Structure formats: C-alpha cells, structure tokens
Amino acid sequence: MFRCRGLTVFVAVSLLCGACSPGGKSAATHLRADDAGADASASSDAAAGVPDDASAGDAAAADVDSGQPVPLSAGGSIGQLWVTDAKPKSTLTLLDSSGSEVTRGVADRLGSFIFRGVAPGKGYTVRGANATTKALQVLSQSDVPKASLYTSQQLHAGLNYVTMRDGIELAMTVRLPSGKTLADGPFATIVEYSGYQVAAPGDLVSAANKAIAAGTSLDSLTDPLLPATSTVVGSLIAPMLGYAAVSVQMRGSGCSGGDFQLFDVPSTFDGYDAVEVVAAQSWVKGNKVGLAGISFSGISQLFVAGTRPPHLAAIAPMSVTDDLYTGTGFPGGIFNDGFAKSWLDERQKNALPAPEAGAQPYAIMLVQAGDVHCKNNQKLRAQTQDLKQLVADNPFRVPQLADDRAPATWADKIKVPVFLVGQFQDEKTGGHFPEMLHLLDANPNVWISLQNGVNADALEPATFSRWVEFLDLFVGARIPSIPTALSTLSVKLYKALAGGSLSEPIPATRFDAFTNVAKAQTEFKKDPRVRVLFDSGAGALGPGALQPTWELGFDAWPVTSAVATTYYTDSGGVLTTAQPVAPGENSYLSDPSKRPLRTLGVAAKDDPSAALPSYDWTKAVDGASLGFSTPPLTQDTLVVGASSLDLMLKSSAADTDLQVTLSDVRSDGQEMYVQSGWLRASHRVVDSGQSTANDPIQLHLKADATDLTGGTFEAVRVQIYAVAHAFRAGDRIRVTIQAPGGERPRWTFDTIEDGTITNTVQLGTSKLVLPIVMGVAIPTSLPACPSNRGQPCRTYAAASNGG
C-alpha cells in the first residue's frame, strides 16, 4: 500500500516537474530513488569560466594516501568557499595557493562548511581528515563567467535545476501561458526571483481560477506544490498576460542549493546568472528578459539589476524597501520585533534542510518523492547563519554587513528601464523606500508610481495597466494590451488577492491605436517620471476600494516644487508659523503599555489589505503623549515628501525611544492617520551631507552613538517617512509624540521604554518642517473617514497639553 501511494506521488510530481535537469533529462530520471548522487551538480570548469587548476564548484577530493576519490566536494563563491560531504564535526582546513593555512572550520551535522570573507584568488584547497580538494578559485564581483555557463544549460517547461557560477544549483520553474508549449515560442519572458516558495511546480493559474469561481481567497489554497501567492506576479499574472515566466528559487530555500543569507553577494550574482541562463534560451523573444515581482521578488530586482546582466531588458519592482536596517529592520535604530522579526523567523525555518519540518512544503514533498537534486541541494542548509543572533549582535548599522544587503547600494548602478511602485503606508516593507529614489536620477528611463495604501496595493488597477504597458514595451517589445479574459476576471481576482476589496476592471492600455512599438515607447516616455495617486480608497466604488481619486505628475523625487515649511510648537498644543518669543516646555511619560502594540491583530481576519480593516488606532493618551496642531487651514495644503520633527529634548534617562506621527484632524471631527517616524535618541547624529531641512538622515553608526545629557535640552531630529497627503481647507495638521507602538498594523518595536522615562520638549525651538507643494488645487472633496487605504481613522481627542 505504501509503495503504491509513493508511486502515485512520484508520478504526480514527475508530471509537474516537466524536465528537471540542466541537460534536459526527464523528470523520471531525476526522481528515481536509486539515482542518489547522480548528476548532483551539472557544472564544469569550462562552463563556470575558470581555469583548469581553479574549479569554481563540484571539486571532488582526492584521497592523499590511495589517490582514489572520496565523497568531499567544494566550490568557490564570491568571497566564500563551500564544502559538502565531509564527515560531520570533522576539521576542515583552508589552504592558499602556497599551501599555507588560511583558516579552519568544523563540518556541521550535514558534513558541510562555508569559509566566509575569503580573499578572491586561485589555488585554494580544502584539507579534510583524509583528503584534500583540487585547486579552487574564490571569485570576486568582477569575475564574469564564460558564456558557455549560460548557453549550455537548456530549460524546459516545469521544474529545472540550473548551475550557478560557483557550482550551486538553483531550482527554476518555467511557466507558460495556458495551452502553450515551448514550440509555440518565442515568448516575451519575465523572471521572478524570490526566497518565498516560488519555484514550486504546481499550476497556480488553474488553482486560482477554481478559487475565484468558488469565491474564496487565494490564501486558502493548501496544495504544497503550489507557489506562494506572494509570488503571484510570475506564477499567475505573467502567464495570463501571455508571458513565459521563470520562477527562480533563491539559494538556501526550497529546492535550491546553498545556504540562505539574506541578499548576500552570492545571492545577488545568482540573479545575474539566472537572467543570463534564461535569456540564452531559444524560446525567449529577443534573448532579453525582464524582472518582475512584488515585495521579496520586488526587492531582489534592485540587487540583480545593479549587477547589470547584459541580457536584462527592464525591471518592474513593487513594494520594496531601500535598506534592511533603516528601512524595515531597525526604523530609527529601534528593532522592529513585529513584522521584521516574524519574517526573519520564517526565513530561518524555510532554510532548514528538507524534509525537516519548517522547510518549504514543496521541497519536503519533492525530497520525499525521490527528487535527487532537491535532496542533494539541502546539504549546505545547516550553514545558514542564525539571523536572530545576527540582529542581536548588531544593534547599530554596520556598513560591512549592511551595505551589500541594501537595495540603495545597487540603485545607482541600474541602467535598464525601471517601473517602480510603492505605498507610503506599506505594513510590511514600510514607507522608507523613497529615500533611495534619487539614486536613480542618472537613469533617464525611470517611472515611479506612489500612493497611499498597503503592500498588496501595488497591483491595483490604475497602476496595473501602466505596469503592463511598461512590460510590453520594454520587455515584450510589443504593442501593449490587456487580454480580455484577464480584464473580465480582474474584479474577482482583486477580491481574492486583496482581502475582498472592490475594484474597477483593469483599464485598457493607452496604445490600442498604435502599430509601431518604437513610436509607442516614445509616447510612453512622455509620462511624468513620478506619478502620485491620491486618496486611494475614496472613490465611487465605496470606502476602501482599490480606487484612487486623483493624481499629480512630478519630474523628480524629492519633488523639486516642495517648499520646506516650518511650524513651531507653542503652548496649548499649537503649531504656528510664527516662532514664539518666550519658549515654554511640555513633558510626557514615555509608556508603551498605554496603547496596543499594533493597530491590527495577527489573525487571518485582520487583513491590512481588506477594504476597511478593523483598525484599533487608539487616541493619544493623556500624560503619555504630546500633541501639537495647527489652527484650521485657510487653504488646501499638499504635503509631498519626508518631514522632520526637530525637537529640543531633554529626558530623565540617558536614552529614549521616540515615535512621531503626522495626522489630519479634519473639519468633521475625525482624525486620519498620515505617517510616522521613529528614533532612538542616542542615534540622533545626522549626516549633514545627506540631510535637508525637512529630511534628517541618520547613519546609525556605533561610533556616532551619543547619550543624552540629563537636564539639558538637546537637538533631536526625527524623520517622518515620506508621504503624499492633501490637507483640505478647514483641516488641522497634527503631530503627536509618544513611545513607540500602536500606529502600525504589523510593526512593533523592541523599545527601551518601560514606563519610567519622562521626556520634555522645549516649545518655540521645537518645530515641524513639512514639504509643501504650493499652488495645487485639490480637485476632490474631503474623503470619508475611514476610506483611504492604509490610513485608519478615529474621533479626534486632544492630548493633555491641548494639541
């Protein structure tokens, strides 16, 4: 009975995998249980582009006594050298080209070890208990593999295993438009590169159609062979648009080899290799591919494009961050122990070797079904570094650790066309990403779309149509069009993807009348560089629908027409444009226990992408916060960009954590959330070279850490993340200061506040600086509250200081 069931699983997996080999072998060949060790790595010295005496990967060791091969393998990565098949707990010694010892390591429970921080060069060897590998080359970023590494590997529909420059295999699944085979090509092709369950070979298009017909969410799908719905761009949308999509599994996850190290350099250059392998396929139109995806697979695009693969046509990143430390992990220097911690915990579990519990479901199933490649690719998983310990050991931003892992580091190296979409209130990656947009200034072919909303909103209809135009023109080299079937299905699809939110059908593209691609590209290039959509959720479909109500175009970010405008704090909780003559002071008890940790729970029903989530955005607590508000505005006021709360602060402690929130106290008595910022006061030193009047930039270096001096007012500038919000005439601009927490649906903070610290703000010298775009007539009336996506509402209540 067991054998029959195993055979059933084997056959099902074989059909899904298609052809799971770089050399085009059948799925059956790779899934036979007795195929252990066969073709575990398809690399060769010639394919990897390294000399005969310096193998980049899969170097068999020679027994020093008998001269016979023993099961020890090794390969050189960028700045690293990996070893597998050693005896667990045995000592491994790294030797340089002269035979001198460089360092030692101990093989883990799986018999593997990675030497890190190794200087690039040839002639390295690894000596084990009874064996020494042949010569190996540790690569540098400037080492470019021979073209044969890419042209020698043929991909087929379904799951493939593809060798990278260092001998590590990545799992890649080729997905085609429904009913098509590779013989129907060439296809316009996109690559989605992610550490989520992306290369799982199941058919999400068919599964999604069934879920939509049943009126259920895509998150309800439970088939372990289906790709994660977070990879919907490549696994569902691209094939529906007529694209071939290649879902590339990041090293150290799923059925890919290697260890998981979040956006480390080898992973970044895997993206280069993946692009080049895919582009080399005969079924790829023009032998050029695009990168597409949202969140994880949006962020990865910025790294890969920064390496400049020659056959990359364009990228279309959505819902990204700019820096793993300042952008998402440590806002203002305070560890995000909500989303960031849970996300890292999930990545750590997913990096476990399949079939161990916690590994990605499809990898578990394939290993159990006998997929030899997937099984062998688990060997380095125990080398995944402890991400939790890494966070604990590095409370400050360490450039040597963080720079290569920061999308902003790679942004100014990107030369291909870019279509970037982001939401200011993104509950996952956060709203700090606009800080890197200026790094794209040297690239003339960049289009940025910004809006209020949450992570999933990057795909909303008003943006989606422009995104398709971009992909069709710059990747597909074709006249843009939205397939009728997708447009018809789109309203139900959005409900399934965005917590039941309503939407309009995807609008038609603007190029139906065009017949010449070059002319259509020229027309597209007339679009403003920065498109800002306002009041998404406030349209005629009803509160919270995926529907912005108006938009503006700008030629740059930061917006050059925005004027830094100062509002001074005054007694009675007032913000005034005239600086008070006689400063006073206000104090508050910094106590995070006075409010909920977050504005939403973590149950499935508490979905930030729903039309009207059940936010618990509690009022500013008397005695535990300060509020300052302008008088009712006499004219519409448009804030576009990052803001700064420049405090003169003293504290009863040597350090304190600050949370600053910008909100809109409306003429109807409701208060709408706009944006927040955070800062640990000891991290307050600003980089004068990058900071502006309305945008303070801290580097969060340990060398800059400075305690507060008790009893003395000191300058502390808190950056409020960028936003685009229209304050209507009659509204009041409000800023609130309190302990971290209670403002975001998924972020919580590992704060030093314990309810015993009293902070005091000097009035008159403390000020709010906003980037205000003058002379804009707001074309719509005050939206309902709640309605704007990502912006909860509450009844306004003044803080104890009156603001």
Side-chain angles (χ1 to χ4, degrees):
M1 187 70 178
F2 176 79
R3 288 175 63 86
C4 291
R5 183 182 180 191
L7 180 61
T8 301
V9 172
F10 163 75
V11 172
V13 171
S14 298
L15 291 171
L16 284 166
C17 288
C20 305
S21 165
K25 296 180 181 179
S26 68
T29 301
H30 283 276
L31 296 180
R32 279 173 40 210
D34 61 354
D35 194 28
D39 196 27
S41 177
S43 72
S44 67
D45 293 349
V50 294
D52 291 340
D53 68 341
S55 173
D58 197 30
D63 188 297
V64 295
D65 296 321
S66 66
Q68 298 299 312
V70 296
L72 181 65
S73 298
S77 298
I78 297 176
Q80 300 179 0
L81 194 149
W82 57 265
V83 183
T84 62
D85 302 319
K87 182 180 179 181
K89 307 304 180 184
S90 64
T91 298
L92 298 168
T93 304
L94 178 64
L95 308 173
D96 64 18
S97 58
S98 69
S100 300
E101 180 176 323
V102 178
T103 188
R104 294 185 182 187
V106 177
D108 59 36
R109 63 186 176 92
L110 301 179
S112 300
F113 188 78
I114 295 178
F115 294 96
R116 305 181 194 276
V118 183
K122 301 176 183 178
Y124 286 102
T125 55
V126 178
R127 185 174 63 210
N130 297 303
T132 299
T133 66
K134 65 179 180 179
L136 301 160
Q137 179 178 355
V138 174
L139 306 173
S140 70
Q141 293 186 27
S142 60
D143 286 321
V144 179
K146 292 179 180 178
S148 57
L149 175 66
Y150 310 125
T151 58
S152 65
Q153 304 193 71
Q154 304 302 308
L155 305 186
H156 302 269
L159 178 61
N160 300 259
Y161 290 97
V162 178
T163 304
M164 301 292 101
R165 66 184 66 192
D166 62 353
I168 295 297
E169 283 187 345
L170 298 192
M172 300 185 189
T173 292
V174 176
R175 308 181 194 278
L176 300 177
S178 295
K180 299 293 184 180
T181 69
L182 292 179
D184 296 312
F187 296 96
T189 303
I190 64 103
V191 170
E192 182 168 21
Y193 181 39
S194 177
Y196 292 148
Q197 177 156 307
V198 66
D203 182 1
L204 187 59
V205 175
S206 296
N209 281 326
K210 292 177 182 177
I212 290 168
T216 59
S217 166
L218 297 193
D219 289 333
S220 66
L221 299 173
T222 58
D223 184 345
L225 288 177
L226 287 177
T229 54
S230 51
T231 67
V232 68
V233 170
S235 55
L236 174 64
I237 294 173
M240 294 180 74
L241 289 169
Y243 281 77
V246 182
S247 303
V248 179
Q249 191 73 56
M250 197 169 281
R251 70 168 56 201
S253 64
C255 281
S256 287
D259 66 320
F260 183 80
Q261 302 297 334
L262 186 59
F263 296 120
D264 67 347
V265 171
S267 297
T268 293
F269 281 84
D270 283 347
Y272 178 112
D273 291 348
V275 165
E276 292 302 295
V277 168
V278 175
Q281 305 305 306
S282 61
W283 46 264
V284 172
K285 183 179 179 180
N287 294 114
K288 287 272 192 173
V289 302
L291 289 168
I294 185 171
S295 205
F296 202 161
S297 50
I299 296 166
S300 66
Q301 296 174 52
L302 298 166
F303 291 91
V304 176
T307 69
R308 301 181 185 174
H311 294 90
L312 179 63
I315 66 172
M318 297 174 166
S319 302
V320 301
T321 186
D322 64 316
D323 192 283
L324 300 187
Y325 183 95
T326 54
T328 306
F330 286 81
I334 310 167
F335 179 52
N336 175 356
D337 65 358
F339 173 77
K341 179 179 182 298
S342 64
W343 191 85
L344 289 174
D345 289 346
E346 184 179 346
R347 303 284 72 71
Q348 192 88 48
K349 290 178 182 177
N350 277 185
L352 289 171
E356 292 183 16
Q360 291 185 353
Y362 89 99
I364 293 173
M365 189 169 184
L366 292 186
V367 170
Q368 291 174 338
D371 184 331
V372 176
H373 278 256
C374 190
K375 179 181 178 180
N376 287 339
N377 285 343
Q378 310 300 310
K379 291 180 179 180
L380 281 164
R381 295 303 177 79
Q383 286 298 295
T384 297
Q385 292 176 302
D386 186 337
L387 299 178
K388 187 182 297 185
Q389 191 60 49
L390 202 62
V391 167
D393 292 344
N394 296 279
F396 295 91
R397 191 180 187 282
V398 180
Q400 298 92 324
L401 179 67
D403 282 356
D404 282 339
R405 290 175 165 85
T409 299
W410 302 86
D412 64 354
K413 301 174 177 65
I414 298 172
K415 300 302 181 184
V416 296
V418 177
F419 187 90
L420 186 147
V421 184
Q423 294 69 239
F424 297 114
Q425 293 85 16
D426 191 312
E427 80 284 5
K428 297 178 181 179
T429 55
H432 196 266
F433 69 92
E435 293 298 323
M436 74 173 170
L437 298 182
H438 72 281
L439 296 171
L440 297 168
D441 284 353
N443 186 341
N445 295 314
V446 173
W447 294 272
I448 299 165
S449 185
L450 306 174
Q451 62 188 342
N452 64 287
V454 297
N455 188 268
D457 292 4
L459 290 164
E460 62 89 20
T463 304
F464 186 94
S465 182
R466 301 287 179 95
W467 175 76
V468 171
E469 292 174 353
F470 174 82
L471 287 179
D472 279 353
L473 290 171
F474 295 97
V475 178
R478 65 192 190 188
I479 299 299
S481 66
I482 306 288
T484 302
L486 179 57
S487 182
T488 302
L489 185 67
S490 62
V491 173
K492 292 182 179 180
L493 179 60
Y494 280 118
K495 289 186 72 174
L497 287 172
S501 297
L502 296 177
S503 72
E504 294 180 307
I506 298 170
T509 72
R510 300 168 293 169
F511 298 92
D512 288 347
F514 282 72
T515 57
N516 182 282
V517 172
K519 290 182 178 179
Q521 285 183 341
T522 299
E523 187 66 22
F524 185 92
K525 290 179 179 181
K526 295 177 182 178
D527 283 356
R529 186 177 182 89
V530 180
R531 182 192 189 204
V532 180
L533 304 175
F534 289 87
D535 294 336
S536 180
L541 288 176
L546 290 159
Q547 186 183 33
T549 61
W550 60 291
E551 65 181 78
L552 289 174
F554 299 98
D555 59 4
W557 190 278
V559 173
T560 55
S561 58
V563 177
T565 304
T566 301
Y567 297 87
Y568 296 93
T569 57
D570 202 353
S571 58
V574 173
L575 287 174
T576 176
T577 55
Q579 185 170 11
V581 176
E585 59 184 51
N586 285 158
S587 298
Y588 70 98
L589 182 68
S590 186
D591 188 353
S593 70
K594 297 295 186 182
R595 304 173 76 226
L597 291 175
R598 57 177 71 85
T599 56
L600 275 178
V602 294
K605 65 180 180 64
D606 299 312
D607 185 353
S609 66
L612 294 176
S614 300
Y615 289 119
D616 182 17
W617 187 41
T618 60
K619 69 174 185 177
V621 180
D622 287 349
S625 63
L626 297 176
F628 298 91
S629 303
T630 65
L633 299 171
T634 59
Q635 60 184 6
D636 294 344
T637 301
L638 189 65
V639 172
V640 183
S643 305
S644 180
L645 183 63
D646 297 351
L647 296 173
M648 291 301 295
L649 180 79
K650 66 180 179 182
S651 178
S652 63
D655 204 0
T656 186
D657 289 343
L658 304 167
Q659 176 176 270
V660 173
T661 296
L662 185 68
S663 60
D664 183 349
V665 180
R666 298 147 43 100
S667 56
D668 61 3
Q670 293 294 299
E671 182 180 9
M672 179 179 282
Y673 175 87
V674 176
Q675 191 55 287
S676 295
W678 300 266
L679 183 67
R680 180 158 289 170
S682 59
H683 291 229
R684 65 189 179 276
V685 172
V686 298
D687 182 347
S688 59
Q690 296 188 65
S691 299
T692 65
N694 59 281
D695 192 6
I697 305 295
Q698 282 95 9
L699 299 181
H700 303 284
L701 302 176
K702 185 175 182 179
D704 290 339
T706 308
D707 284 346
L708 295 167
T709 304
T712 302
F713 284 107
E714 298 179 67
V716 178
R717 300 187 65 195
V718 185
Q719 180 197 67
I720 303 173
Y721 288 3
V723 76
H725 184 81
F727 294 85
R728 271 77 175 182
D731 292 355
R732 290 184 287 160
I733 299 171
R734 187 189 199 199
V735 64
T736 309
I737 312 164
Q738 56 204 328
E743 302 290 271
R744 306 294 296 130
R746 290 289 179 262
W747 286 15
T748 59
F749 299 89
D750 184 19
T751 179
I752 58 178
E753 304 302 315
D754 59 3
T756 64
I757 298 174
T758 297
N759 293 329
T760 303
V761 173
Q762 187 178 63
L763 306 181
T765 54
S766 297
K767 58 189 180 183
L768 174 67
V769 186
L770 300 175
I772 295 179
V773 177
M774 305 294 186
V776 175
I778 298 174
T780 59
S781 59
L782 189 69
C785 199
S787 65
N788 282 16
R789 293 182 64 81
Q791 297 183 251
C793 285
R794 64 190 179 193
T795 301
Y796 168 69
S800 54
N801 69 316

